[in-house]
Amino acid sequence: MIISTQLHAIGIIHTPFKEAQGTPIQPIYADAAEGIIEIFPEFREGTADLDGFERIWLIYWFDKTSPPKLKVVPFRDDMERGIFATRAPCRPNPIGLSSVRLLGIDGSKLRIADVDILDQTPLLDIKPYIPKIDSFGQSRAGWFDNSRSAREKADKRFE
C-alpha cells in the first residue's frame, strides 16, 4: 500500500552536531548537549502551553542518512538485526523520535537539552512527554537487554 501525502516541516533543529560521527546515539547519552528548535512563524501558535512540560518528543526527518536497509548492525550491538528492532536512521520512512528536555521558550525558539540530532534537521512534530503515559520501566527490550556494546556515540555506518 502506498500512502500519498505531503509532510511539512514545522521548524528546524539546530544542534552542535554537524556530522553523524560523534553524535550521541540517544538522548540519554547526550551529556546534556543543548540545541535550539526554530519553529516556523505559521506554527508558533502551536507551542502555547508547552512551557509546563519538562520533556518533549521530537519527531523529525532523517534527511542525511544512507538509503533504507532492512537489516543493520545497530550501534549497541555487533550482530545484524531487523531495522524495526533498532533505532537506526536508515529506515524505509526515515522518521526520527527523541525525547529531549525543554529548557525554555523564547518566541519561536525552543531551547532543548539532551539532544541527539544532527544540526539543521527538519522537525515534523512535537508532542509532550507525559511520564504516566510514556514510561513503562519494567518492559522487556529484546536484544537490547543483552547488548554487546556500550557505544554511546555514532560512527559513520549510516551516512
Side-chain angles (χ1 to χ4, degrees):
M1 174 189 329
I2 296 176
I3 299 172
S4 179
T5 189
Q6 283 189 329
L7 296 175
H8 300 277
I10 64 166
I12 297 291
I13 305 167
H14 301 281
T15 77
F17 307 112
K18 308 299 184 206
E19 61 185 16
Q21 187 169 357
T23 299
I25 62 170
Q26 290 295 315
I28 195 165
Y29 306 126
D31 297 325
E34 293 188 18
I36 299 285
I37 298 171
E38 176 187 349
I39 300 293
F40 297 147
E42 63 269 32
F43 299 106
R44 182 174 174 226
E45 186 178 350
T47 64
D49 306 308
L50 196 58
D51 58 348
F53 291 90
E54 180 179 336
R55 297 192 85 80
I56 54 176
W57 289 107
L58 302 181
I59 301 166
Y60 50 92
W61 194 259
F62 283 121
D63 63 326
K64 299 172 187 84
T65 191
S66 58
K69 299 175 187 167
L70 295 179
K71 295 281 219 135
V72 297
V73 177
F75 291 125
R76 297 283 295 201
D77 204 6
D78 57 7
M79 290 182 55
E80 194 172 62
R81 306 286 180 178
I83 189 69
F84 304 128
T86 77
R87 294 189 175 186
C90 57
R91 315 182 76 73
N93 293 301
I95 297 170
L97 175 70
S98 292
S99 175
V100 299
R101 280 188 296 136
L102 178 61
L103 300 177
I105 301 174
D106 182 18
S108 62
K109 297 195 186 316
L110 281 63
R111 289 186 312 107
I112 58 173
D114 302 334
V115 65
D116 65 335
I117 303 165
L118 287 178
D119 189 43
Q120 302 291 316
T121 294
L123 179 65
L124 300 176
D125 203 355
I126 300 170
K127 295 182 185 281
Y129 177 92
I130 304 170
K132 189 172 187 175
I133 296 170
D134 293 331
S135 179
F136 300 90
Q138 302 305 313
S139 296
R140 289 178 289 112
W143 64 265
F144 190 84
D145 285 339
N146 299 309
S147 179
R148 294 179 175 90
S149 170
R151 181 182 305 275
E152 296 180 0
K153 306 289 183 204
D155 55 23
K156 294 182 175 190
R157 73 180 76 188
F158 299 116
E159 289 182 349

